[in-house]
Amino acid sequence: MKWTDDRSGNVDDRRGSGGGGGAIVGGGLGTIIIAAIVFFLGGDPSAILSSGGNSAPQTEQRELSQNEKQVGEFIKMITAENEETWTKIFAENGMTYQPAKVVLFTTQTQSGCGTAQSAMGPFYCPADQTVYMDMTFFNELQSKFGAKVTEFTIAYVMAHEMGHHVQNLLGTLDKTDQLRRSGRYSEEEMNRVSVATELQADFYAGVWARYSNEREHFLEPGDLESAVEAAEAVGDDNIQKRSQGYVNQESFTHGSSAQRKEWFMKGYNSGDIKQGDTFNQLLK
């Protein structure tokens, strides 16, 4: 992936400055399963994150390494490219885009949805309209989920989380949260709503890649393949096979590997935000 000269001022790099406390409410689940639940989370992560608890003392104060600084610059670049693309798309549809914030952290930090921990993977918090990223998660994505991590893998993950921000601005997350809180729907039905939410964020990531590449020409051979590989790696069927040895489609919350690839590529190939109605497609 080629780098551009754009940088966003909406990135808060908290690495090297320690972190706040609080506890994860994980129901005894291991790191891999927790990451599977929260990775690419749609809706309100407060169901998993704990906003209570006593704050742990700040223990880490250190200078970032050159590699960490480089990663920070990359995230600022990707954030800027998301801002420029979505500002344009919203304007084309008669709307005004409000940029999300991005927080880089190590181990744990406080979010508007509670305490964020590295075991959770990247997620979007609608309460403070912020994407939270501990970059060490990508080591697990490669070693435990079987995805080859490239710069564009990270860009895809960021674009997916920004897709949740787009859903938040458009009112989609509010509607899905109302469905969840109504109590009128079974767990299986709400799982299907969750799948539709996640696949739409994949679609928006594809739209972003198409628009941004047409403007910046930053894609290089193998970049799209790396994004697709990451999408397939975190498909529910792949995660369930690796964690429990069998697949239960009724418990899917993010979509199968094939579905995640399909909707990302549909977004990229169409470049049309209006073709991303996963809810009518999946909830018939």
Side-chain angles (χ1 to χ4, degrees):
M1 178 181 181
K2 297 178 182 177
W3 284 44
T4 70
D5 294 329
D6 297 327
R7 300 291 185 273
S8 173
N10 287 318
V11 177
D12 178 8
D13 194 343
R14 300 178 186 174
R15 297 172 301 167
S17 61
I24 181 173
V25 181
L29 298 177
T31 298
I32 297 177
I33 307 303
I34 293 171
I37 293 172
V38 185
F39 186 63
F40 298 168
L41 189 65
D44 186 355
S46 60
I48 297 175
L49 304 182
S50 170
S51 59
N54 298 321
S55 294
Q58 186 167 300
T59 58
E60 180 190 37
Q61 289 286 350
R62 63 178 178 83
E63 179 72 16
L64 296 180
S65 68
Q66 284 302 117
N67 181 65
E68 288 173 319
K69 292 178 181 178
Q70 186 84 345
V71 168
E73 288 300 303
F74 180 76
I75 295 299
K76 290 177 183 178
M77 180 191 75
I78 294 300
T79 302
E81 298 305 336
N82 272 274
E83 291 169 353
E84 189 167 349
T85 290
W86 286 110
T87 295
K88 180 180 180 182
I89 293 174
F90 268 55
E92 290 175 351
N93 289 275
M95 299 178 291
T96 301
Y97 180 71
Q98 300 172 333
K101 295 181 180 179
V102 176
V103 168
L104 286 173
F105 70 98
T106 301
T107 308
Q108 66 179 27
T109 194
Q110 289 298 323
S111 80
C113 296
T115 301
Q117 297 190 5
S118 59
M120 300 170 179
F123 69 91
Y124 172 73
C125 174
D128 57 10
Q129 297 190 8
T130 301
V131 173
Y132 288 86
M133 302 272 290
D134 184 328
M135 302 303 295
T136 60
F137 174 79
F138 291 95
N139 297 331
E140 291 223 342
L141 181 62
Q142 183 163 299
S143 64
K144 295 183 179 179
F145 290 95
K148 178 183 177 182
V149 175
T150 67
E151 286 182 342
F152 197 71
T153 305
I154 298 170
Y156 156 65
V157 171
M158 282 283 296
H160 177 104
E161 299 305 336
M162 290 295 181
H164 286 313
H165 178 60
V166 170
Q167 290 174 320
N168 194 28
L169 296 180
L170 296 178
T172 305
L173 296 188
D174 282 340
K175 292 177 182 178
T176 58
D177 188 54
Q178 288 170 11
L179 292 176
R180 179 175 62 84
R181 293 178 184 275
S182 72
R184 298 197 303 267
Y185 302 94
S186 67
E187 180 179 354
E188 182 182 344
E189 289 171 325
M190 287 311 303
N191 284 344
R192 290 202 296 270
V193 171
S194 177
V195 168
T197 304
E198 294 301 323
L199 294 181
Q200 188 177 68
D202 278 333
F203 173 84
Y204 288 157
V207 171
W208 167 81
R210 171 70 173 268
Y211 260 75
S212 301
N213 188 55
E214 287 180 348
R215 182 181 64 251
E216 300 290 356
H217 306 290
F218 56 37
L219 287 180
E220 295 180 310
D223 282 343
L224 282 179
E225 289 79 4
S226 70
V228 167
E229 185 177 333
E232 291 177 326
V234 291
D236 284 317
D237 48 349
N238 185 48
I239 290 172
Q240 289 183 358
K241 285 178 183 177
R242 289 174 178 270
S243 62
Q244 63 190 25
Y246 62 91
V247 174
N248 177 11
Q249 189 170 348
E250 292 182 357
S251 66
F252 283 7
T253 56
H254 293 70
S256 68
S257 296
Q259 286 176 313
R260 301 201 70 163
K261 173 184 177 179
E262 174 191 355
W263 282 97
F264 172 77
M265 290 308 302
K266 183 176 181 178
Y268 180 79
N269 290 326
S270 71
D272 181 5
I273 190 175
K274 296 177 182 178
Q275 294 190 34
D277 189 353
T278 54
F279 294 89
N280 280 335
Q281 291 272 348
L282 300 170
L283 302 181
K284 291 180 180 179

